[in-house]
Amino acid sequence: MDAIEYAARELRFPWPIRSESLSLENGFGRRCGSPLVSRVDYPPFSRSTRDGYALRSGDVAGASDTSPVFLRVGGEIPMGAEVHLSLEGGECVAVHTGGMIPRGADAVVMLEDTVRTGNWLEVRKSLQSGENVIFKGEEIAFGSEILAVGEMLDYRNVGVLATLGSSFFDALDLKIGILSTGDEIVPADTLDLPAGKVRDANACFLEFLLARHGFPARRLGIVPDRKEALEESVLEGLEENDVLLVSGGSSVSTRDHCSEILENLPEPGLLVRGVNMSPGKPLLIAGSLARKRLVLGLPGHPLSCSIVAITVLLPLLHRLIGSKEAPLKSSFASLSSDVIGKAGVEEFVPALMVAGKARPVPGKSGYVGVLREARGLIRLTETEETRRAGDTVEVLEW
């Protein structure tokens, strides 16, 4: 967290980000670029939430089974029809669930609390104003914010936009590039794997992780472990992208090359060289204020790269766009088995939540499939060592 806050402060987040207008059909999973406010009230008219009779609540004060109130039935309001009548005292009208209620009515009595005889209704229950009614603009008022900057459009809120007639919205157009490095790395679609080579898992992981969190990214290819080639690719990537992720080679020389290149970026340049965390210590964070560019040098080992992306990259991106949303949910759970830790370093252990308990899913930094089972990360602070089954630990869930 110190590294995240330091980088965000030095780079003066949030940054102004371009937006593009997208239809709801094309906007799933994208983040809002400017506040979206309602141009209408919702509901657009006062409506009933029950089948029954719209009435004045004051007319049925004190009504009960033993002391009913009689009202004159003034007709029935068809579903989907506009109502022009105004309710008079001592009068009621039949309404259906979701139907418009007339002016003057402020409550709806349910059918089961009434007995109708001809044009007279026997009401056997008193009502409060607003009972079984949603008033015009009660849920969403004209001019109120329905999507905040940085909020992601998904199944939870798309119905609101559709209901309000907001068929387009401004989506953040934050350009993110993913650059893979290493002489041992070959494209993921390589069929016949040469000896000593590994397929590029990190770029695929980063692309999918970011897409899930509303940050579209694209892969820029693989660069060999040579300083000149890496520098050229980094500078080229920064021309076209606001954020550049360099999934680093495993050799010390490659990390040194990347560090030197980032040091030479316009101010402030390299901000963080290594974080006291495990896995993921070789993390680099850099940026340029003048050009509004953010660069992260991520570890090459798949598990290390994944954990750094989840715990550092996502929070940084949220700060960059000015989102108040937390990408991970912090909670506490008891351990179902021991976790072997060491003091002096902040550790993150993949975990599976079973019956409310955290079950560690241990793995080495070079493992690639640990997160397939995990649903969160157990976080051990620098002062925590081995934790035993039954102990309470912090869990970052996704």
Side-chain angles (χ1 to χ4, degrees):
M1 288 305 300
D2 289 343
I4 293 169
E5 296 299 339
Y6 171 65
R9 184 173 62 252
E10 292 298 306
L11 291 171
R12 299 175 192 170
F13 289 163
W15 286 346
I17 305 296
R18 298 172 304 276
S19 296
E20 58 178 337
S21 180
L22 292 180
S23 65
L24 296 190
E25 290 78 7
N26 296 319
F28 174 76
R30 294 293 296 274
R31 292 191 174 272
C32 190
S34 60
L36 182 63
V37 299
S38 176
R39 297 170 297 175
V40 296
D41 287 320
Y42 184 80
F45 52 86
S46 296
R47 56 195 309 212
S48 173
T49 63
R50 297 286 190 273
D51 289 339
Y53 293 85
L55 46 75
R56 296 170 180 257
S57 59
D59 287 344
V60 294
S64 66
D65 288 335
T66 58
S67 181
V69 171
F70 292 87
L71 301 176
R72 187 177 66 258
V73 179
E76 180 178 346
I77 298 175
M79 282 296 294
E82 184 178 2
V83 180
H84 297 288
L85 65 87
S86 180
L87 205 63
E88 301 295 333
E91 191 177 34
C92 66
V93 293
V95 293
H96 303 280
T97 302
M100 192 173 188
I101 67 170
R103 291 186 301 275
D106 67 343
V108 170
V109 63
M110 294 188 292
L111 285 175
E112 52 264 41
D113 295 320
T114 66
V115 175
R116 180 170 176 176
T117 305
N119 288 331
W120 289 96
L121 186 73
E122 182 180 341
V123 181
R124 299 181 172 184
K125 181 184 178 182
S126 62
L127 299 171
Q128 299 293 323
S129 178
E131 194 164 346
N132 302 322
V133 170
I134 304 177
F135 292 110
K136 177 182 178 181
E138 178 180 321
E139 182 179 2
I140 302 171
F142 174 86
S144 61
E145 185 176 86
I146 53 178
L147 269 190
V149 172
E151 189 173 352
M152 189 163 65
L153 178 66
D154 60 16
Y155 65 91
R156 296 169 298 179
N157 50 35
V158 67
V160 178
L161 272 67
T163 296
L164 298 176
S166 299
S167 54
F168 287 84
F169 82 112
D170 288 335
L172 282 176
D173 186 23
L174 182 69
K175 298 191 181 302
I176 303 176
I178 303 167
L179 192 63
S180 301
T181 69
D183 291 332
E184 78 282 12
I185 305 297
V186 295
D189 58 1
T190 302
L191 295 179
D192 297 318
L193 191 65
K197 304 290 186 180
V198 293
R199 295 184 181 88
D200 187 5
N202 289 349
C204 296
F205 169 83
L206 291 169
E207 181 183 3
F208 277 46
L209 173 74
L210 292 172
R212 180 187 176 188
H213 286 268
F215 299 105
R218 64 190 184 100
R219 287 174 270 172
L220 305 179
I222 300 171
V223 183
D225 287 339
R226 295 195 303 274
K227 182 183 176 183
E228 294 77 14
L230 180 59
E231 184 172 25
E232 181 180 351
S233 296
V234 167
L235 295 179
E236 186 176 301
L238 289 175
E239 286 296 324
E240 302 176 351
N241 298 280
D242 307 296
V243 179
L244 183 65
L245 309 176
V246 183
S247 175
S250 58
S251 67
V252 174
S253 61
T254 306
R255 291 200 297 271
D256 288 342
H257 292 332
C258 190
S259 177
E260 185 178 341
I261 292 167
L262 299 185
E263 283 177 350
N264 291 325
L265 290 178
E267 186 181 358
L270 184 63
L271 292 166
V272 174
R273 179 172 179 167
V275 175
N276 191 27
M277 63 184 290
S278 177
K281 188 173 183 178
L283 168 67
L284 302 173
I285 304 177
S288 167
L289 266 174
R291 300 185 60 195
K292 297 293 186 290
R293 295 291 189 266
L294 172 67
V295 188
L296 267 72
L298 305 173
H301 288 312
L303 183 57
S304 296
C305 177
S306 302
I307 288 180
V308 168
I310 292 169
T311 60
V312 179
L313 171 60
L314 289 179
L316 271 178
L317 291 178
H318 277 266
R319 283 164 173 75
L320 186 153
I321 66 173
S323 169
K324 295 179 175 59
E325 178 187 345
L328 296 175
K329 174 189 173 185
S330 176
S331 61
F332 291 87
S334 109
L335 284 170
S336 63
S337 58
D338 295 349
V339 173
I340 307 301
K342 55 183 180 291
V345 62
E346 187 175 9
E347 295 185 83
F348 296 92
V349 180
L352 183 63
M353 300 300 293
V354 180
K357 292 188 175 183
R359 189 180 77 192
V361 184
K364 297 180 180 179
S365 61
Y367 282 13
V368 71
V370 176
L371 294 187
R372 181 172 59 89
E373 297 182 7
R375 294 297 180 269
L377 297 171
I378 296 170
R379 176 179 174 266
L380 302 179
T381 66
E382 298 175 40
T383 60
E384 294 179 287
E385 296 188 39
T386 299
R387 304 301 301 273
R388 300 299 180 185
D391 287 352
T392 298
V393 294
E394 182 182 7
V395 181
L396 303 176
E397 296 183 69
W398 54 74

